[in-house]
Amino acid sequence: MKALVFRGPGQKEWVEKDRPTILKPTDVIVKISKTTICGTDLHILKGDVPTVAPGRTLGHEGVGIVEEVGDAVVNFKTGDTVLISCVTSCGKCPNCKRHLYAHCDDGGWILGHMIDGTQAEYVRIPHADHSLHPIPAGADEEALVMLSDILPTGFEIGVQYGHVKPGDTIAVVGAGPVGMSVLLTAQFLSPGRIIMIDMDPARLELARQFGATDTIQVGSEDVVARVMEMTHGKGVDVAIEAVGVPATFDTCQKIVAAGGNIANVGVHGKPVELHIEELWIKNINISMGLVNTNTTPMLLKTLGNARVDPAKLVTHRFKLDEMMTAYDVFANAAREKAMKVILSA
Ligand code: NAD
Ligand code: ZN
C-alpha cells in the first residue's frame, strides 16, 4: 500500500509500505476512504514533535471502511463505515473512566505519532471498540473528517474549557481550522459576540461567513486597543488562544475581562510569560489541554445542523495519491486560500 512517511525534520515521502496487520485482538484494520492534513502534521515536519520517529506514517484524522477485525472487537464488523478518532482510548482505565481519553493508560494521541497513522491506504486502530465511531446513515463524509480532531478540539478545549455561555463576548485568536472550529461550535451556546483575530484577511472573511460578529486583522490594527474599544474597556468574557505562540497567549492575557476565562488551545513549543501581577486581581481562570474526543458522539448528532456545518471548512480536494501536492497546498495556506484539504481514495 501507499503511505506518507516522515523521514526526519523537513523530509517526507509518499512510498510503498507493508499493509498493517492485526497485532492485538482489540485491533481493527480500516481501509481509508477520506483523510486530511492537520497543523500538527506540519509541526511534526518542522521537527517540533521529537517523539515522532523517522519511518512513521503520519495522519490522525479520517473515515474508512472496516477491512479486518480482531477477535475481541464487538462493536464493529468487516464492511462497517467508521469515523477514526485522533485519540485512541481503551475506555477501561481510570483516566478513561473520567473521560480523560487523552491520557488513556494504553492510548492517547498515538495515531500518526507513536504508531502509524491515517495518511495511507490502510491503518491499524488499537482499542477499536472505543476509538472508532459508527457513521450515521447518509452522513457527509467530508464533514465527518472534521470530527476526527479539529471540531472536538475547538469545542472541548476552547468552548467547554473556556466556559462559553449564552450572551458572552468571546474572542478567538487564530482563524485556522482549529480557531474556525471554535467559532462554529461556540454557536451551540449562543454567545452574544464572537470576535475573530488573525492576520490573514481571507480567513477573516470566511470567519464572518461562518458567524463571527467582528474581525480584527493583526498587523493593520492594534488588537488589544480594538477589543477594549468594542467592549467599553471591560475586555472579553472568554479569550481563546488557537495559534500556539507567546504573542497570541499574551493577547489573551490583555483582553480577558474580570471574572473571565483564558482557554489555550494552541500547541506551544516555547514558554510564555504569565502576567500574574496583573491577572491575580481579575478573578480569571486559565485552562489548556489535549483534546479528549469525549464529545465526538454528541458532535456526530449535530451533523445535520446547517449553521454549524463543519463541511464548510473544506476548501481543497485531492486523490489520496496526490498527497505530496496536498501537503504543499496546506503548508502554503495563505497563498492557496486553503483551510482544510480532503484526500479521497
Ligand atoms: P494553523 O497553523 O492552520 O492556523 C493558525 C492560524 O493562526 C493561522 O490562520 C494564522 O494566520 C494565525 N496566526 C499566526 N500567528 C498569529 C498571530 N500572531 N495573531 C493572530 N493569528 C495568528 O493551525 P490550526 O490547525 O488551526 O491549529 C491551531 C493550533 O491548535 C496549533 O498550535 C495546533 O497544533 C493546535 N492544536 C491543538 C490541539 C489540542 O488538543 N490542544 C489539537 C489540534 C491542534
Ligand atoms: Zn484508557
Short mmCIF file of all heavy atoms in Angstrom, two decimals, residues 233-293:
data_model
loop_
_atom_site.label_atom_id
_atom_site.label_comp_id
_atom_site.label_asym_id
_atom_site.label_seq_id
_atom_site.Cartn_x
_atom_site.Cartn_y
_atom_site.Cartn_z
N GLY A 233 -13.98 49.01 27.36
CA GLY A 233 -12.88 48.95 28.32
C GLY A 233 -12.88 47.74 29.24
O GLY A 233 -12.02 47.61 30.10
N LYS A 234 -13.87 46.84 29.07
CA LYS A 234 -14.00 45.71 30.00
C LYS A 234 -13.21 44.48 29.58
O LYS A 234 -12.78 43.69 30.40
CB LYS A 234 -15.48 45.32 30.12
CG LYS A 234 -16.32 46.29 30.92
CD LYS A 234 -17.69 45.68 31.20
CE LYS A 234 -18.40 46.30 32.39
NZ LYS A 234 -18.52 47.74 32.37
N GLY A 235 -13.07 44.24 28.28
CA GLY A 235 -12.44 43.01 27.79
C GLY A 235 -13.48 41.95 27.52
O GLY A 235 -14.69 42.18 27.66
N VAL A 236 -13.01 40.76 27.13
CA VAL A 236 -13.94 39.69 26.73
C VAL A 236 -14.14 38.67 27.85
O VAL A 236 -13.27 38.47 28.68
CB VAL A 236 -13.42 38.96 25.46
CG1 VAL A 236 -13.35 39.93 24.28
CG2 VAL A 236 -12.07 38.30 25.68
N ASP A 237 -15.31 38.05 27.84
CA ASP A 237 -15.60 37.02 28.85
C ASP A 237 -14.71 35.80 28.65
O ASP A 237 -14.29 35.17 29.62
CB ASP A 237 -17.08 36.60 28.75
CG ASP A 237 -18.01 37.77 29.00
OD1 ASP A 237 -17.85 38.41 30.06
OD2 ASP A 237 -18.85 38.08 28.13
N VAL A 238 -14.47 35.44 27.38
CA VAL A 238 -13.63 34.28 27.10
C VAL A 238 -12.64 34.64 25.99
O VAL A 238 -13.05 35.09 24.92
CB VAL A 238 -14.47 33.06 26.65
CG1 VAL A 238 -13.60 31.81 26.58
CG2 VAL A 238 -15.66 32.82 27.58
N ALA A 239 -11.35 34.46 26.27
CA ALA A 239 -10.30 34.69 25.27
C ALA A 239 -9.70 33.33 24.93
O ALA A 239 -9.18 32.64 25.82
CB ALA A 239 -9.23 35.63 25.82
N ILE A 240 -9.82 32.93 23.66
CA ILE A 240 -9.39 31.59 23.26
C ILE A 240 -8.17 31.70 22.36
O ILE A 240 -8.20 32.36 21.32
CB ILE A 240 -10.55 30.84 22.57
CG1 ILE A 240 -11.71 30.69 23.57
CG2 ILE A 240 -10.09 29.47 22.04
CD1 ILE A 240 -13.01 30.19 22.98
N GLU A 241 -7.09 31.05 22.76
CA GLU A 241 -5.83 31.07 22.01
C GLU A 241 -5.79 29.86 21.09
O GLU A 241 -5.83 28.72 21.58
CB GLU A 241 -4.66 31.05 23.00
CG GLU A 241 -3.33 31.48 22.41
CD GLU A 241 -2.66 30.48 21.51
OE1 GLU A 241 -2.98 29.26 21.59
OE2 GLU A 241 -1.82 30.89 20.70
N ALA A 242 -5.72 30.07 19.78
CA ALA A 242 -5.73 28.95 18.82
C ALA A 242 -4.60 29.08 17.80
O ALA A 242 -4.80 28.85 16.61
CB ALA A 242 -7.09 28.86 18.12
N VAL A 243 -3.43 29.47 18.29
CA VAL A 243 -2.25 29.57 17.41
C VAL A 243 -1.09 28.75 17.97
O VAL A 243 -0.55 27.87 17.30
CB VAL A 243 -1.80 31.04 17.20
CG1 VAL A 243 -0.66 31.11 16.19
CG2 VAL A 243 -2.96 31.93 16.77
N GLY A 244 -0.69 29.08 19.23
CA GLY A 244 0.41 28.34 19.84
C GLY A 244 1.74 29.08 19.85
O GLY A 244 2.79 28.46 19.78
N VAL A 245 1.68 30.43 19.94
CA VAL A 245 2.92 31.22 20.07
C VAL A 245 2.74 32.20 21.25
O VAL A 245 1.62 32.53 21.61
CB VAL A 245 3.27 31.99 18.76
CG1 VAL A 245 3.56 31.01 17.62
CG2 VAL A 245 2.19 32.98 18.37
N PRO A 246 3.87 32.66 21.85
CA PRO A 246 3.76 33.55 23.01
C PRO A 246 2.92 34.80 22.74
O PRO A 246 2.15 35.23 23.60
CB PRO A 246 5.22 33.90 23.33
CG PRO A 246 6.00 32.71 22.84
CD PRO A 246 5.28 32.26 21.59
N ALA A 247 3.06 35.40 21.55
CA ALA A 247 2.36 36.67 21.27
C ALA A 247 0.84 36.52 21.40
O ALA A 247 0.17 37.43 21.90
CB ALA A 247 2.72 37.15 19.86
N THR A 248 0.30 35.40 20.96
CA THR A 248 -1.16 35.26 20.97
C THR A 248 -1.67 34.92 22.37
O THR A 248 -2.76 35.34 22.76
CB THR A 248 -1.60 34.19 19.95
OG1 THR A 248 -0.76 33.04 20.10
CG2 THR A 248 -1.48 34.72 18.55
N PHE A 249 -0.85 34.20 23.16
CA PHE A 249 -1.23 33.97 24.55
C PHE A 249 -1.22 35.31 25.29
O PHE A 249 -2.11 35.61 26.09
CB PHE A 249 -0.28 32.97 25.24
CG PHE A 249 -0.71 32.64 26.64
CD1 PHE A 249 -1.71 31.70 26.87
CD2 PHE A 249 -0.14 33.29 27.73
CE1 PHE A 249 -2.14 31.42 28.17
CE2 PHE A 249 -0.57 33.01 29.02
CZ PHE A 249 -1.56 32.07 29.25
N ASP A 250 -0.25 36.15 24.97
CA ASP A 250 -0.15 37.46 25.60
C ASP A 250 -1.37 38.32 25.27
O ASP A 250 -1.91 39.00 26.15
CB ASP A 250 1.15 38.15 25.13
CG ASP A 250 1.51 39.29 26.06
OD1 ASP A 250 1.52 39.06 27.29
OD2 ASP A 250 1.73 40.41 25.58
N THR A 251 -1.82 38.26 24.01
CA THR A 251 -3.03 39.00 23.63
C THR A 251 -4.20 38.56 24.53
O THR A 251 -4.94 39.39 25.05
CB THR A 251 -3.37 38.74 22.14
OG1 THR A 251 -2.27 39.16 21.35
CG2 THR A 251 -4.63 39.46 21.72
N CYS A 252 -4.32 37.25 24.72
CA CYS A 252 -5.42 36.74 25.55
C CYS A 252 -5.35 37.28 26.97
O CYS A 252 -6.37 37.62 27.56
CB CYS A 252 -5.41 35.21 25.55
SG CYS A 252 -5.85 34.52 23.94
N GLN A 253 -4.14 37.36 27.53
CA GLN A 253 -3.98 37.89 28.89
C GLN A 253 -4.43 39.34 28.98
O GLN A 253 -4.92 39.79 30.00
CB GLN A 253 -2.52 37.87 29.34
CG GLN A 253 -1.84 36.55 29.31
CD GLN A 253 -0.47 36.63 29.98
OE1 GLN A 253 -0.37 36.78 31.19
NE2 GLN A 253 0.58 36.56 29.18
N LYS A 254 -4.22 40.08 27.87
CA LYS A 254 -4.51 41.52 27.89
C LYS A 254 -5.98 41.83 27.63
O LYS A 254 -6.46 42.90 27.99
CB LYS A 254 -3.64 42.24 26.86
CG LYS A 254 -2.18 42.29 27.29
CD LYS A 254 -1.34 43.06 26.29
CE LYS A 254 0.08 43.23 26.82
NZ LYS A 254 1.07 43.00 25.76
N ILE A 255 -6.70 40.89 27.01
CA ILE A 255 -8.09 41.20 26.63
C ILE A 255 -9.12 40.50 27.50
O ILE A 255 -10.31 40.71 27.32
CB ILE A 255 -8.37 40.90 25.14
CG1 ILE A 255 -8.19 39.41 24.82
CG2 ILE A 255 -7.49 41.77 24.22
CD1 ILE A 255 -8.59 39.02 23.40
N VAL A 256 -8.69 39.66 28.44
CA VAL A 256 -9.68 38.94 29.25
C VAL A 256 -10.29 39.89 30.29
O VAL A 256 -9.58 40.71 30.90
CB VAL A 256 -9.06 37.68 29.92
CG1 VAL A 256 -8.01 38.03 30.97
CG2 VAL A 256 -10.14 36.77 30.50
N ALA A 257 -11.61 39.82 30.44
CA ALA A 257 -12.32 40.68 31.40
C ALA A 257 -12.24 40.09 32.81
O ALA A 257 -11.97 38.89 32.97
CB ALA A 257 -13.79 40.80 30.98
N ALA A 258 -12.51 40.90 33.80
CA ALA A 258 -12.60 40.40 35.18
C ALA A 258 -13.63 39.28 35.23
O ALA A 258 -14.70 39.37 34.61
CB ALA A 258 -13.01 41.53 36.11
N GLY A 259 -13.30 38.19 35.90
CA GLY A 259 -14.23 37.06 36.01
C GLY A 259 -14.24 36.17 34.78
O GLY A 259 -15.02 35.23 34.71
N GLY A 260 -13.34 36.45 33.83
CA GLY A 260 -13.36 35.71 32.56
C GLY A 260 -12.48 34.48 32.54
O GLY A 260 -11.96 34.03 33.57
N ASN A 261 -12.34 33.92 31.33
CA ASN A 261 -11.56 32.70 31.14
C ASN A 261 -10.61 32.87 29.97
O ASN A 261 -10.99 33.43 28.94
CB ASN A 261 -12.49 31.52 30.78
CG ASN A 261 -13.43 31.18 31.90
OD1 ASN A 261 -13.09 30.44 32.82
ND2 ASN A 261 -14.63 31.74 31.86
N ILE A 262 -9.39 32.35 30.15
CA ILE A 262 -8.47 32.21 29.01
C ILE A 262 -8.40 30.72 28.73
O ILE A 262 -8.04 29.93 29.61
CB ILE A 262 -7.05 32.72 29.35
CG1 ILE A 262 -7.07 34.22 29.65
CG2 ILE A 262 -6.08 32.42 28.19
CD1 ILE A 262 -5.71 34.78 30.12
N ALA A 263 -8.79 30.32 27.53
CA ALA A 263 -8.70 28.90 27.15
C ALA A 263 -7.61 28.77 26.09
O ALA A 263 -7.76 29.27 24.97
CB ALA A 263 -10.04 28.41 26.61
N ASN A 264 -6.52 28.14 26.45
CA ASN A 264 -5.43 27.94 25.49
C ASN A 264 -5.63 26.63 24.74
O ASN A 264 -5.72 25.57 25.37
CB ASN A 264 -4.09 27.92 26.22
CG ASN A 264 -2.96 27.72 25.23
OD1 ASN A 264 -2.45 28.68 24.65
ND2 ASN A 264 -2.57 26.47 24.98
N VAL A 265 -5.69 26.71 23.42
CA VAL A 265 -5.84 25.50 22.60
C VAL A 265 -4.55 25.19 21.85
O VAL A 265 -4.22 24.05 21.58
CB VAL A 265 -7.00 25.66 21.57
CG1 VAL A 265 -7.28 24.34 20.87
CG2 VAL A 265 -8.28 26.16 22.25
N GLY A 266 -3.78 26.23 21.51
CA GLY A 266 -2.57 26.06 20.70
C GLY A 266 -1.53 25.17 21.35
O GLY A 266 -1.43 25.11 22.57
N VAL A 267 -0.76 24.48 20.51
CA VAL A 267 0.37 23.66 20.97
C VAL A 267 1.58 24.61 21.01
O VAL A 267 1.93 25.20 19.99
CB VAL A 267 0.63 22.50 19.98
CG1 VAL A 267 1.94 21.77 20.32
CG2 VAL A 267 -0.55 21.52 19.98
N HIS A 268 2.18 24.75 22.18
CA HIS A 268 3.31 25.67 22.35
C HIS A 268 4.65 24.95 22.38
O HIS A 268 4.78 23.92 23.05
CB HIS A 268 3.14 26.47 23.65
CG HIS A 268 2.03 27.48 23.58
ND1 HIS A 268 2.24 28.82 23.33
CD2 HIS A 268 0.68 27.32 23.70
CE1 HIS A 268 1.08 29.45 23.32
NE2 HIS A 268 0.11 28.57 23.53
N GLY A 269 5.63 25.52 21.68
CA GLY A 269 6.99 24.97 21.71
C GLY A 269 7.91 25.80 22.59
O GLY A 269 9.01 25.39 22.90
N LYS A 270 7.43 26.99 23.00
CA LYS A 270 8.26 27.90 23.82
C LYS A 270 7.49 28.33 25.05
O LYS A 270 6.26 28.38 25.02
CB LYS A 270 8.58 29.17 23.01
CG LYS A 270 9.50 28.98 21.83
CD LYS A 270 10.13 30.34 21.46
CE LYS A 270 10.87 30.27 20.14
NZ LYS A 270 9.98 30.51 19.00
N PRO A 271 8.19 28.72 26.14
CA PRO A 271 7.47 29.22 27.33
C PRO A 271 6.78 30.54 27.01
O PRO A 271 7.20 31.26 26.11
CB PRO A 271 8.57 29.44 28.37
CG PRO A 271 9.83 28.92 27.79
CD PRO A 271 9.64 28.73 26.32
N VAL A 272 5.72 30.84 27.78
CA VAL A 272 5.08 32.15 27.65
C VAL A 272 5.28 32.89 28.98
O VAL A 272 5.51 32.26 30.01
CB VAL A 272 3.56 32.03 27.35
CG1 VAL A 272 3.32 31.29 26.05
CG2 VAL A 272 2.81 31.38 28.50
N GLU A 273 5.20 34.22 28.95
CA GLU A 273 5.32 35.00 30.18
C GLU A 273 3.92 35.18 30.76
O GLU A 273 3.04 35.73 30.10
CB GLU A 273 5.96 36.35 29.84
CG GLU A 273 6.52 37.05 31.06
CD GLU A 273 7.27 38.33 30.70
OE1 GLU A 273 7.70 38.47 29.53
OE2 GLU A 273 7.40 39.18 31.59
N LEU A 274 3.73 34.70 31.98
CA LEU A 274 2.42 34.82 32.63
C LEU A 274 2.39 36.10 33.46
O LEU A 274 3.17 36.25 34.41
CB LEU A 274 2.18 33.60 33.53
CG LEU A 274 0.86 33.60 34.30
CD1 LEU A 274 -0.33 33.48 33.35
CD2 LEU A 274 0.83 32.49 35.33
N HIS A 275 1.49 37.03 33.11
CA HIS A 275 1.41 38.31 33.84
C HIS A 275 0.50 38.19 35.06
O HIS A 275 -0.54 38.82 35.15
CB HIS A 275 0.98 39.43 32.89
CG HIS A 275 2.10 39.84 32.00
ND1 HIS A 275 3.22 40.48 32.49
CD2 HIS A 275 2.33 39.63 30.70
CE1 HIS A 275 4.07 40.68 31.50
NE2 HIS A 275 3.55 40.16 30.40
N ILE A 276 0.99 37.39 36.00
CA ILE A 276 0.20 37.14 37.21
C ILE A 276 0.04 38.42 38.03
O ILE A 276 -0.95 38.58 38.76
CB ILE A 276 0.86 35.99 38.02
CG1 ILE A 276 -0.15 35.34 38.95
CG2 ILE A 276 2.13 36.44 38.72
CD1 ILE A 276 0.28 33.98 39.47
N GLU A 277 1.00 39.37 37.87
CA GLU A 277 0.93 40.62 38.63
C GLU A 277 -0.28 41.46 38.20
O GLU A 277 -0.74 42.32 38.96
CB GLU A 277 2.25 41.40 38.51
CG GLU A 277 2.46 42.18 37.21
CD GLU A 277 2.84 41.29 36.01
OE1 GLU A 277 2.83 40.05 36.15
OE2 GLU A 277 3.14 41.85 34.93
N GLU A 278 -0.78 41.21 36.98
CA GLU A 278 -1.98 41.92 36.54
C GLU A 278 -3.23 41.05 36.62
O GLU A 278 -4.34 41.54 36.79
CB GLU A 278 -1.79 42.41 35.09
CG GLU A 278 -0.92 43.64 35.02
CD GLU A 278 -0.35 43.88 33.64
OE1 GLU A 278 -0.91 43.36 32.66
OE2 GLU A 278 0.67 44.59 33.55
N LEU A 279 -3.02 39.76 36.49
CA LEU A 279 -4.17 38.86 36.40
C LEU A 279 -4.72 38.44 37.77
O LEU A 279 -5.91 38.11 37.88
CB LEU A 279 -3.80 37.60 35.60
CG LEU A 279 -3.51 37.84 34.12
CD1 LEU A 279 -3.00 36.56 33.46
CD2 LEU A 279 -4.75 38.35 33.39
N TRP A 280 -3.87 38.43 38.82
CA TRP A 280 -4.32 37.88 40.10
C TRP A 280 -5.58 38.57 40.60
O TRP A 280 -6.47 37.94 41.15
CB TRP A 280 -3.21 37.96 41.17
CG TRP A 280 -3.06 39.35 41.76
CD1 TRP A 280 -2.22 40.32 41.34
CD2 TRP A 280 -3.80 39.90 42.85
NE1 TRP A 280 -2.38 41.45 42.08
CE2 TRP A 280 -3.36 41.22 43.03
CE3 TRP A 280 -4.80 39.41 43.69
CZ2 TRP A 280 -3.87 42.07 44.01
CZ3 TRP A 280 -5.32 40.25 44.67
CH2 TRP A 280 -4.85 41.57 44.83
N ILE A 281 -5.69 39.85 40.34
CA ILE A 281 -6.79 40.64 40.91
C ILE A 281 -8.06 40.56 40.04
O ILE A 281 -9.11 41.07 40.42
CB ILE A 281 -6.33 42.12 41.10
CG1 ILE A 281 -7.18 42.83 42.16
CG2 ILE A 281 -6.32 42.88 39.78
CD1 ILE A 281 -6.60 44.17 42.61
N LYS A 282 -7.95 39.86 38.89
CA LYS A 282 -9.08 39.85 37.95
C LYS A 282 -10.00 38.63 38.06
O LYS A 282 -10.97 38.53 37.31
CB LYS A 282 -8.55 39.98 36.51
CG LYS A 282 -7.99 41.39 36.23
CD LYS A 282 -7.42 41.53 34.85
CE LYS A 282 -8.49 41.78 33.80
NZ LYS A 282 -7.86 42.04 32.47
N ASN A 283 -9.71 37.71 38.97
CA ASN A 283 -10.59 36.54 39.19
C ASN A 283 -10.86 35.76 37.90
O ASN A 283 -11.99 35.49 37.52
CB ASN A 283 -11.93 36.95 39.82
CG ASN A 283 -11.75 37.70 41.11
OD1 ASN A 283 -11.10 38.74 41.14
ND2 ASN A 283 -12.29 37.16 42.18
N ILE A 284 -9.76 35.47 37.21
CA ILE A 284 -9.91 34.75 35.94
C ILE A 284 -9.46 33.29 36.09
O ILE A 284 -8.81 32.93 37.07
CB ILE A 284 -9.09 35.42 34.81
CG1 ILE A 284 -7.59 35.37 35.15
CG2 ILE A 284 -9.54 36.84 34.55
CD1 ILE A 284 -6.74 35.03 33.99
N ASN A 285 -9.80 32.49 35.10
CA ASN A 285 -9.31 31.10 35.03
C ASN A 285 -8.50 30.95 33.75
O ASN A 285 -8.83 31.55 32.73
CB ASN A 285 -10.49 30.12 34.95
CG ASN A 285 -11.29 30.13 36.22
OD1 ASN A 285 -10.76 29.91 37.31
ND2 ASN A 285 -12.58 30.41 36.10
N ILE A 286 -7.48 30.10 33.83
CA ILE A 286 -6.70 29.76 32.63
C ILE A 286 -6.77 28.24 32.47
O ILE A 286 -6.54 27.51 33.43
CB ILE A 286 -5.21 30.17 32.77
CG1 ILE A 286 -5.09 31.68 33.05
CG2 ILE A 286 -4.43 29.82 31.50
CD1 ILE A 286 -3.67 32.17 33.28
N SER A 287 -7.12 27.80 31.26
CA SER A 287 -7.20 26.35 31.02
C SER A 287 -6.39 26.00 29.78
O SER A 287 -6.07 26.87 28.95
CB SER A 287 -8.66 25.93 30.82
OG SER A 287 -9.19 26.65 29.73
N MET A 288 -6.06 24.73 29.66
CA MET A 288 -5.30 24.23 28.49
C MET A 288 -5.43 22.72 28.47
O MET A 288 -5.80 22.12 29.49
CB MET A 288 -3.83 24.65 28.60
CG MET A 288 -3.12 24.10 29.81
SD MET A 288 -1.58 24.99 30.15
CE MET A 288 -2.18 26.46 30.95
N GLY A 289 -5.12 22.10 27.34
CA GLY A 289 -5.15 20.64 27.34
C GLY A 289 -5.16 20.04 25.95
O GLY A 289 -5.26 20.73 24.94
N LEU A 290 -5.03 18.72 25.96
CA LEU A 290 -5.12 17.93 24.74
C LEU A 290 -6.56 17.45 24.59
O LEU A 290 -7.19 17.07 25.58
CB LEU A 290 -4.16 16.72 24.86
CG LEU A 290 -4.12 15.72 23.72
CD1 LEU A 290 -3.61 16.36 22.42
CD2 LEU A 290 -3.20 14.55 24.07
N VAL A 291 -7.05 17.48 23.36
CA VAL A 291 -8.44 17.05 23.11
C VAL A 291 -8.66 15.62 23.63
O VAL A 291 -7.79 14.76 23.51
CB VAL A 291 -8.76 17.17 21.60
CG1 VAL A 291 -7.87 16.25 20.76
CG2 VAL A 291 -10.22 16.87 21.33
N ASN A 292 -9.83 15.39 24.23
CA ASN A 292 -10.17 14.04 24.72
C ASN A 292 -11.04 13.28 23.72
O ASN A 292 -11.12 12.07 23.78
CB ASN A 292 -10.94 14.14 26.04
CG ASN A 292 -10.02 14.52 27.18
OD1 ASN A 292 -9.04 13.84 27.44
ND2 ASN A 292 -10.33 15.61 27.86
N THR A 293 -11.69 14.01 22.84
CA THR A 293 -12.68 13.47 21.89
C THR A 293 -13.86 12.79 22.60
O THR A 293 -14.55 11.98 22.00
CB THR A 293 -12.06 12.50 20.83
OG1 THR A 293 -11.60 11.32 21.46
CG2 THR A 293 -10.93 13.15 20.07
#
